Amino acid sequence: MLVLAVDTATSAVTAGVVELASGPANPVRTRAARVAYGARSHGELLMPAVLDACAAADTPLRDLDAIVVGTGPGPFTGLRVGMVTAFALADALDVPVHGVCSLDAIAADAAAAPGGRFLVVTDARRREVYWAAYDEQGGRLSGPHVEAPAALAERLSALKAVAAAGGSAGLTGLPVLEPASPSPGGLVTVAADAVRTGRSDGPPQPLYLRRPDAVAAGTRKRVSAP
């Protein structure tokens, strides 16, 4: 199966074409990946990255069998770009779309390295971080959460983590693991069973973890007649 994987939950705008094997042994092979950086340019960067990855993989969009999208946690605007693009492509191509937690995708790539529990930590802006805790196989133990780095630091001894991955891993003081952002292979690895079976728990839902800055205008006050 040929799968398009996209993620815009971090400042890295990621797109790639991944070949998914029919069985669990050696399940994913990345044919092409493109990563561009721009915390406020997700909309401008994503589709060119998708088209470039497909061209490099010699895979026309019409040959894709499924789409996997990172659902965050991430800032509202950037995350929405990736998810809307994934839904639009899936509808146009008549293929299923599967969502995965972007922190889980980072953990899938980092799992072999630490030899114990580890964290995935990414930038949430507003002087906060998104984080989740994982066992050495990459299974999520806690999270995702959003809070200040100082609050996370107070939890470190209880979490018993020996390392951290993700773009804000350095704030923990733990040894830093790669990757800093989700890879196409990591995204598809997390979604592999659902992609193979076609199983769906409904449309993917974004993990914002907090309310957007923009709010609907309230009711206008009535002006008294002079």
Side-chain angles (χ1 to χ4, degrees), residues 34-223:
R34 294 293 183 268
V35 181
Y37 292 90
R40 302 185 185 280
S41 302
H42 297 84
E44 294 86 348
L45 296 172
L46 181 56
M47 273 311 297
V50 167
L51 296 175
D52 195 15
C54 287
D58 194 23
T59 304
L61 286 171
R62 64 178 179 273
D63 288 349
L64 295 171
D65 298 300
I67 296 173
V68 172
V69 60
T71 60
F76 182 83
T77 302
L79 182 57
R80 184 171 57 180
V81 167
M83 297 199 66
V84 168
T85 300
F87 283 128
L89 286 172
D91 182 64
L93 300 171
D94 194 24
V95 298
V97 58
H98 302 273
V100 300
C101 172
S102 302
L103 303 184
D104 290 355
I106 295 175
D109 285 333
R117 295 184 179 185
F118 65 99
L119 306 179
V120 174
V121 189
T122 61
D123 183 15
R125 302 180 188 170
R126 303 184 192 174
R127 299 181 181 178
E128 293 182 321
V129 294
Y130 300 116
W131 69 272
Y134 296 84
D135 62 27
E136 57 189 301
Q137 286 80 40
R140 195 185 332 150
L141 300 171
S142 178
H145 309 283
V146 58
E147 60 187 358
L152 173 57
E154 293 177 356
R155 304 178 187 273
L156 287 180
S157 59
L159 292 170
K160 300 179 180 179
V162 300
S168 296
L171 297 176
T172 66
L174 296 169
V176 175
L177 306 171
E178 294 292 336
S181 59
S183 72
L187 291 161
V188 176
T189 295
V190 176
D193 288 344
V195 173
R196 286 195 196 97
T197 62
R199 186 185 74 248
S200 174
D201 297 323
Q205 299 297 315
L207 295 169
Y208 295 127
L209 298 192
R210 60 189 180 200
R211 298 178 64 85
D213 292 331
V215 295
T219 305
R220 293 185 178 182
K221 294 182 180 180
R222 299 184 62 182
V223 178

